[in-house]
Amino acid sequence: YYQAHDWLQDLEQVQKCYTESGKSRAPLILHGIEDQIIPISCGQDLANGWNVPLVAVPEASHMIFLEQPVVVARHVLDYMSVSQ
């Protein structure tokens, strides 16, 4: 499903979510470098299509939140502090 889904079609919905607060902000895309379920090339394609950076999380596969919680938390906190 994930590889067959055209995530670029979701761009309008994603942009709406990120602009509802009245503050426009780009989505944060985190992707495990070693992800074998959704290859990082798919994450990069999504980031390129949305014109946002991709945060490639080292030593992480599909479960980046469990495998690299400190790295993920740091990126999320940085994102939230910049986006507020």
Side-chain angles (χ1 to χ4, degrees), residues 12-50:
E12 186 176 321
Q13 277 186 316
V14 170
Q15 287 174 329
K16 181 181 177 190
C17 286
Y18 285 91
T19 58
E20 283 181 346
S21 67
K23 298 178 182 177
S24 181
R25 57 184 172 164
L28 173 65
I29 300 177
L30 299 167
H31 201 112
I33 291 174
E34 300 168 15
D35 192 335
Q36 298 297 308
I37 296 173
I38 303 175
I40 195 158
S41 60
C42 293
Q44 187 61 61
D45 289 345
L46 179 64
N48 292 343
W50 287 354

Side-chain angles (χ1 to χ4, degrees), residues 41-81:
S41 60
C42 293
Q44 187 61 61
D45 289 345
L46 179 64
N48 292 343
W50 287 354
N51 196 31
V52 297
L54 171 74
V55 178
V57 180
E59 298 180 23
S61 62
H62 194 67
M63 302 294 287
I64 62 172
F65 299 100
L66 297 175
E67 297 164 338
Q68 293 294 337
V70 173
V71 173
V72 170
R74 180 176 43 88
H75 284 291
V76 170
L77 289 172
D78 289 347
Y79 170 79
M80 292 184 71
S81 67

